[in-house]
Amino acid sequence: LLWGLYRYRINQIKKLNRVRNNISRDLHDDIGASLSNINILNELAKRNTDNPAKSKEYLDKAGEDIQGISESLSDIVWNINPKYDNLQHLFVRMKRYAADMMDGKGISYSINFPEGGVVVKLAMEKRRDLYLVFKEAVNNLVKYSEAKNALIQISYQGKEMIMQVKDDGKGFSINNIKSGNGLNNMEQRALAMGALLTVQSGPGQGTEIVLQLKT
């Protein structure tokens, strides 16, 4: 009994340390870099007070970075809250993010996610990586695809969840852009989740990103 309690305690400590390390990395990578950039942009704005248009450009960019920091902090706080372990909560957040991004770019879209009924829980680390892969895929679609239409959906096949982000945009050559546009980050996060990520695209053929994850 004592050995079992000891192992449980050790596992809890390891889990807590993983949480702390993840938060530390997110704060350093996402927020620390943005704060440094904001300081630089503010300094550049000061140096260009005699050029109002240029100064405004720097301040506008600093404002975008501040908005990004706010979103990153919201993601961190949301992710560590155990009441959001149920994937239905994650789906609501994902749909809101995708809709806001598509509406802002004027892209016609269809979002199909499982509605109620099926209750699936995912460990915090996997939930975080799933959300970040999704955000990266949607962000790339909005920024680079020049698409008119997009399909975003999640479905279940047995115990496997399948996430699809597809557009009818300009596409790209996989071989030429493999290391760009966050694809490496998505691949690494998929690997950490034990998921399979496939990317299909070609010039003039649109892009389709599919993630297959055992739940």
Side-chain angles (χ1 to χ4, degrees):
L1 178 62
L2 290 176
W3 174 245
L5 290 174
Y6 174 76
R7 291 183 61 186
Y8 174 78
R9 178 61 175 167
I10 292 298
N11 288 334
Q12 291 298 103
I13 292 174
K14 288 181 178 178
K15 183 176 181 179
L16 177 60
N17 284 336
R18 285 199 303 271
V19 173
R20 294 174 63 183
N21 288 336
N22 285 338
I23 293 174
S24 176
R25 184 175 65 248
D26 289 343
L27 290 173
H28 178 271
D29 293 347
D30 296 337
I31 296 175
S34 293
L35 287 174
S36 297
N37 197 45
I38 289 169
N39 285 333
I40 294 172
L41 290 167
N42 284 340
E43 184 60 33
L44 289 172
K46 291 177 184 177
R47 294 180 183 180
N48 285 271
T49 53
D50 58 339
N51 186 344
K54 197 66 175 177
S55 182
K56 182 179 183 301
E57 180 183 336
Y58 290 131
L59 291 175
D60 287 345
K61 184 62 174 69
E64 292 174 6
D65 285 349
I66 291 171
Q67 178 63 31
I69 289 175
S70 176
E71 292 175 0
S72 293
L73 285 173
S74 176
D75 287 345
I76 291 171
V77 172
W78 165 81
N79 190 60
I80 62 177
N81 192 330
K83 81 175 184 178
Y84 296 132
D85 286 350
N86 185 342
L87 284 184
Q88 288 299 327
H89 294 288
L90 176 61
F91 293 161
V92 170
R93 194 175 183 89
M94 292 166 77
K95 284 191 285 188
R96 185 183 302 123
Y97 178 81
D100 288 345
M101 293 290 286
M102 301 292 173
D103 288 338
K105 197 69 173 180
I107 299 173
S108 178
Y109 59 90
S110 176
I111 301 178
N112 303 313
F113 282 12
E115 296 290 345
V118 180
V119 177
V120 178
K121 291 190 175 183
L122 207 61
M124 183 184 69
E125 293 90 346
K126 285 189 175 183
R127 190 174 76 243
R128 170 182 174 273
D129 285 330
L130 173 62
Y131 183 53
L132 291 177
V133 168
F134 175 81
K135 285 183 69 174
E136 189 76 57
V138 171
N139 187 59
N140 286 347
L141 189 162
V142 170
K143 272 191 170 183
Y144 306 114
S145 74
E146 299 179 12
K148 294 182 179 179
N149 302 282
L151 170 66
I152 299 172
Q153 64 182 14
I154 289 179
S155 60
Y156 291 110
Q157 291 185 4
K159 292 187 176 181
E160 185 176 66
M161 185 183 75
I162 300 174
M163 181 182 79
Q164 180 186 28
V165 179
K166 184 178 181 180
D167 67 70
D168 64 354
K170 63 181 181 180
F172 58 88
S173 172
I174 298 289
N175 294 331
N176 293 340
I177 203 167
K178 191 67 173 178
S179 61
N181 287 6
L183 290 181
N184 279 346
N185 286 338
M186 286 192 283
E187 289 173 348
Q188 291 172 9
R189 294 190 186 282
L191 183 63
M193 285 187 284
L196 175 64
L197 181 78
T198 57
V199 180
Q200 294 184 344
S201 188
Q205 299 177 16
T207 301
E208 180 179 26
I209 295 174
V210 176
L211 182 80
Q212 297 169 261
L213 173 65
K214 297 282 187 184
T215 59

